Amino acid sequence: MLAAAGDVAEEHGARTAGVWLAHQARLERPEGRRLQQLAEALDQRWHRVASALLAGEVSRAQAEAIVAALEALPGDLDREVRARAEAHLVGLAGEFGPAQLRRLGQRILDVVAPAVAEEHERRALERAERAARVRMRVRRQDLGAGLVRITADLPVLHADLLYTQLHAHASPRRDHLEQLAHVDRRDPESGERVPYPTLLAQGFCSLLERLPQQAAPRHGGDAASLVVTIDHDRLAEQVGVARLGTGHAISVGEARRLACNVGILPMVLDGASQPLDVGRTKRLHTPAMRKALAVRDRECRAEGCDIPAAWTEAHHQAPWSHGGPTTVNDAVLLCSWHHHRAHDRRYDTRRLPNGDLRFHRRT
């Protein structure tokens, strides 16, 4: 049996029994400490495991796995339940190795005391949820070159809610999430496969642009909105830049595209920098219009694209900046990717006889 008494160390002038054991057995000190902890647990608490180890019924590695599982049991557990758990794990040692015993030990209460296991799990989850609410964080780091790094420590529930949305945006036609890692999307410009993390990032951007204004808390008497300021002539001529209310700049092409979506509040200025228009009501397609467009188009109208209507954006074919109307006849549904192309001056857009749009990169 492994030595567990502190007087062994004292007799030989060692700081701890683990240090003495490591020296005597020519072991590294961490290994000596592990053996000392195992010896103390077997000597003081888990006598059935100790007997099985002495009898050669379990190996030292199996004993360590069993003891680790038993030590992790709730402190207020009845002695009888603890004894049943110990006996059951020792019995399993004749069939399973250390790795399997560690996994089985994590759910041992489900076997020997199911009602106790459920109550223990409930309390553990409540503690974890309270701790998560205190520890959750969101941080921002400006990387330059138009990129910002957002890192978030989120509760499991909200992380799963987010990823459910991102998976749907990245691959809305997939039925099984386990297939998502094998999605093969190609960049139409380079022909390169788009990495799945990039698809998720695209989905995140699309999700943020779709957030309904009504869902945001009211701030200063109005719903929180991101204001984009731009000169009317530059918007019409597609030159210059637009400014966000945060002070950052975006291209005019992005500003024109955003004029089709909710969640962004454009402020268009005349030559004297006086507001010509603040708001979006007359440019937004109503829910009824969206339903009519979904019935008519069914999916993204870019040639060859099959993104469903639910994940598309209503695009003004006659640009709002040129006085285009907000009607069903003038609108066409485009996925976020092709909506970007529609407002990118590097692309020509041609309407086909069947109503689809064909994009061609200018040379």
Side-chain angles (χ1 to χ4, degrees):
M1 188 65 188
L2 295 172
D7 57 357
V8 174
E10 184 177 352
E11 180 180 343
H12 291 83
R15 290 195 305 274
T16 66
V19 172
W20 173 83
L21 183 60
H23 175 73
Q24 292 296 114
R26 304 298 188 268
L27 302 173
E28 296 290 338
R29 286 191 178 184
E31 177 71 4
R33 284 194 293 270
R34 283 198 298 273
L35 286 175
Q36 171 64 18
Q37 291 166 358
L38 175 63
E40 290 177 352
L42 294 176
D43 182 62
Q44 298 172 15
R45 291 180 291 282
W46 310 115
H47 300 150
R48 187 183 295 266
V49 183
S51 298
L53 180 61
L54 283 174
E57 297 172 0
V58 302
S59 67
R60 196 191 87 194
Q62 287 177 308
E64 289 177 335
I66 294 172
V67 168
L70 296 173
E71 295 282 281
L73 292 172
D76 58 352
L77 204 60
D78 289 344
R79 181 177 299 178
E80 180 185 352
V81 175
R82 288 175 174 273
R84 290 206 303 270
E86 183 181 12
H88 187 77
L89 288 173
V90 169
L92 292 176
E95 185 177 356
F96 298 102
Q100 292 91 341
L101 286 173
R102 277 191 289 271
R103 288 195 294 270
L104 292 168
Q106 292 172 355
R107 308 300 300 184
I108 186 62
L109 281 184
D110 292 340
V111 177
V112 300
V116 174
E118 185 175 6
E119 176 61 17
H120 170 63
E121 186 175 23
R122 180 191 67 79
R123 287 184 291 176
L125 285 172
E126 288 181 349
R127 289 194 298 270
E129 288 166 355
R130 287 194 296 269
R133 286 193 290 270
V134 173
R135 297 174 57 194
M136 60 183 180
R137 298 284 189 276
V138 175
R139 304 173 183 86
R140 168 179 175 146
Q141 178 186 2
D142 290 321
L143 301 178
L147 280 178
V148 172
R149 176 174 294 151
I150 303 292
T151 57
D153 301 329
L154 300 177
V156 172
L157 166 64
H158 298 90
D160 285 351
L161 285 172
L162 174 61
Y163 266 79
T164 298
Q165 291 289 329
L166 297 188
H167 286 317
H169 278 270
S171 186
R173 294 254 173 167
R174 293 280 177 164
D175 294 326
H176 303 290
L177 291 183
E178 63 269 18
Q179 297 175 339
L180 288 174
H182 307 295
V183 173
D184 185 18
R185 296 275 186 85
R186 301 281 170 178
D187 187 321
E189 297 183 21
S190 65
E192 299 290 330
R193 186 180 66 85
V194 180
Y196 196 67
T198 301
L199 290 178
L200 292 182
Q202 292 170 357
F204 193 24
C205 294
S206 180
L207 176 64
L208 290 173
E209 291 180 11
R210 283 184 173 86
L211 289 177
Q213 219 176 359
Q214 305 91 293
R218 304 193 73 80
H219 180 71
D222 195 5
S225 302
L226 182 61
V227 178
V228 180
T229 304
I230 188 170
D231 178 83
H232 179 272
D233 292 337
R234 290 182 176 178
L235 180 63
E237 296 170 7
Q238 300 188 58
V239 296
V241 299
R243 293 285 174 185
L244 302 178
T246 58
H248 294 103
I250 60 173
S251 68
V252 171
E254 276 288 88
R256 291 185 65 195
R257 183 184 65 82
L258 293 173
C260 298
N261 297 329
V262 297
I264 308 293
L265 187 67
M267 179 178 292
V268 184
L269 308 178
D270 63 14
S273 297
Q274 296 299 314
L276 289 177
D277 182 73
V278 181
R280 304 188 45 79
T281 304
K282 61 187 178 185
R283 291 193 302 281
L284 291 182
H285 294 87
T286 66
M289 289 179 180
R290 281 290 319 216
K291 289 183 175 67
L293 289 168
V295 170
R296 186 194 71 188
D297 293 346
R298 292 177 297 176
E299 57 192 17
C300 174
R301 294 304 298 271
E303 184 181 28
C305 186
D306 63 356
I307 297 297
W311 302 106
T312 59
E313 302 165 356
H315 168 61
H316 293 74
Q317 296 197 82
W320 164 84
S321 57
H322 291 167
T326 300
T327 64
V328 172
N329 289 336
D330 180 68
V332 64
L333 294 182
L334 293 175
C335 68
S336 179
W337 176 272
H338 286 107
H339 200 183
H340 278 79
R341 304 289 82 74
H343 291 281
D344 190 335
R345 297 188 69 185
R346 297 174 299 169
Y347 286 83
D348 284 321
T349 306
R350 176 187 170 193
R351 186 164 189 173
L352 303 178
N354 67 349
D356 285 353
L357 300 185
R358 176 179 294 169
F359 298 95
H360 179 72
R361 179 72 179 264
R362 291 173 175 155
T363 57

